[in-house]
Amino acid sequence: MFERIRKYAARSRGTGATEGAGMSPRGERRAHNLFEAAATYVAARAEDDQDRLEEASGWVSPEALSFGVSELACRAVVELARVRAQSPRTVARDLLGLPVA
């Protein structure tokens, strides 16, 4: 949530273009965090973009990427469960095509 606020504030100051390209507001190269890597990795898998998938895989360690993907999956299931008014367990099983337990 704070990351979204920070990005919004950066865009309102006119620095969003450089930050989106992996640069800090001062034009310095910045490191990607594990959540950026996870979001990019999952989106690339969904879009079957092998180049972007490999790029995101190199931003953080495999362990950090695994943690980020797991956290993203958890948050996505919780949000989808809220939208569907179902339990996270029901949503997760449905997304994976598993029978209702």
Side-chain angles (χ1 to χ4, degrees):
M1 181 169 95
F2 291 109
E3 183 67 17
R4 284 190 215 165
I5 294 169
R6 186 189 64 74
K7 285 181 181 180
Y8 175 77
R11 278 195 302 263
S12 69
R13 290 191 308 262
T15 61
T18 58
E19 285 188 9
M23 303 292 277
S24 73
R26 294 184 297 263
E28 302 162 339
R29 195 94 176 121
R30 66 175 177 80
H32 296 279
N33 71 39
L34 68 101
F35 295 116
E36 287 176 313
T40 301
Y41 181 87
V42 169
R45 283 204 57 196
E47 297 167 354
D48 198 27
D49 183 345
Q50 189 63 34
D51 292 335
R52 192 79 172 138
L53 185 79
E54 291 173 11
E55 180 184 359
S57 295
W59 290 348
V60 296
S61 72
E63 296 81 12
L65 184 60
S66 178
F67 173 78
V69 169
S70 177
E71 184 65 22
L72 177 59
C74 182
R75 292 180 187 192
V77 167
V78 167
E79 181 62 19
L80 192 53
R82 186 189 64 75
V83 168
R84 290 183 179 182
Q86 296 176 327
S87 74
R89 180 179 182 178
T90 300
V91 170
R93 294 184 68 82
D94 181 53
L95 289 172
L96 292 171
L98 299 172
V100 178

